[in-house]
Amino acid sequence: LLPFELRVELLRAAAKGIPLLEVCTLEGELHGPSYTWRSMDEFRRRGVVSRPDELYLMLGVEDFAQLDTWKRGLELPAFANLVIVPREGAGRRLFEAAGARFWPRIWNGRGAEPEAGDDTRTDVPLAPLFPGMRCVYMPLPRMDVNATEVRRRWLEGRCLNVLVPDAELALMRSCGKSGAEAGSSPVRMERAGFPSRVPLREDALQTARLKLHPPCGVRAVRPPCGLAERHENLPLAARQ
């Protein structure tokens, strides 16, 4: 992983200018192993929320399907509501299968429900096992951006506009340049995961690369479809 301080700086750059979004550094303040359940419990202990049902933990559906491999993963609804978002190729079917595997008495006891598509929100109350808590399947308007593709384009010196927020991209370029120019710098990007040997250059070679590979690798974005109404009251907590 990148050093914690650099991850925080990158996240702050990415969140800059986005209303109601801020970076939490709680993970770096806790001693011992970093577990999601510890972070959720610490929010409550510090008074960030007064009750667990005021906290929402957002997870990708693939991560949700692996909760049984996490430390106390199946107990997470005791600390926060779960908000599960789909990704390309993984949606409601995986959500339903994982929920039925984790909490069969709750999941199978919901009774008959109308057939719902991948774009339909579903709220699953988790009582009596977790009174007052719920697991929400929340389809989101999304732009499919793959981290592996971002790293590959960075290594090839190709354009990352739109794929990476402007402030974060500027920080990546700055760190890459400083790491390349200062061999004894304590922040060497190649150690942190950003190879300083391939800064994004504004020379003829880079111009030629951009002509050959225009910044068009962005798939269609779904319309907002009520996102603000769905999420304006959902605090966001960091995942494991």
Side-chain angles (χ1 to χ4, degrees), residues 57-92:
L57 174 64
M58 183 174 287
L59 298 170
V61 68
E62 298 101 325
D63 293 320
F64 174 65
Q66 297 180 34
L67 279 188
D68 53 348
T69 68
W70 293 22
K71 183 76 170 181
R72 300 184 66 177
L74 298 187
E75 299 176 39
L76 282 179
F79 302 97
N81 296 290
L82 302 183
V83 178
I84 312 304
V85 297
R87 292 186 62 184
E88 186 71 24
R92 176 174 299 279

Side-chain angles (χ1 to χ4, degrees), residues 62 87-89 142-155 158-165 168 172 194 217-219:
E62 298 101 325
R87 292 186 62 184
E88 186 71 24
R142 68 177 184 267
M143 176 186 295
D144 292 320
V145 178
N146 186 291
T148 300
E149 172 68 9
V150 170
R151 285 192 291 269
R152 184 178 67 80
R153 294 177 71 93
W154 170 263
L155 289 171
R158 293 169 60 185
C159 182
L160 292 176
N161 292 342
V162 180
L163 296 176
V164 177
E168 188 172 0
M172 290 168 63
F194 294 117
V218 181
R219 300 181 185 178

Side-chain angles (χ1 to χ4, degrees), residues 216-231:
C216 59
V218 181
R219 300 181 185 178
V221 181
R222 296 181 183 178
C225 66
L227 177 62
E229 289 79 9
R230 290 178 177 177
H231 292 277

Side-chain angles (χ1 to χ4, degrees), residues 153-154 157-160 169 173 198-202 206:
R153 294 177 71 93
W154 170 263
R158 293 169 60 185
C159 182
L160 292 176
L169 182 56
R173 286 170 168 161
V198 194
L200 295 182
R201 298 169 295 169
E202 300 300 332
Q206 176 67 3

Side-chain angles (χ1 to χ4, degrees), residues 83-137:
V83 178
I84 312 304
V85 297
R87 292 186 62 184
E88 186 71 24
R92 176 174 299 279
R93 184 173 300 178
L94 184 57
F95 168 76
E96 294 288 354
R101 189 172 81 252
F102 298 156
W103 308 293
R105 185 170 60 145
I106 293 173
W107 226 260
N108 299 330
R110 290 184 291 161
E113 293 188 352
E115 188 72 19
D118 275 356
D119 295 331
T120 304
R121 168 176 167 161
T122 299
D123 284 44
V124 181
L126 297 179
L129 190 57
F130 304 105
M133 309 304 285
R134 57 198 175 117
C135 185
V136 182
Y137 178 78

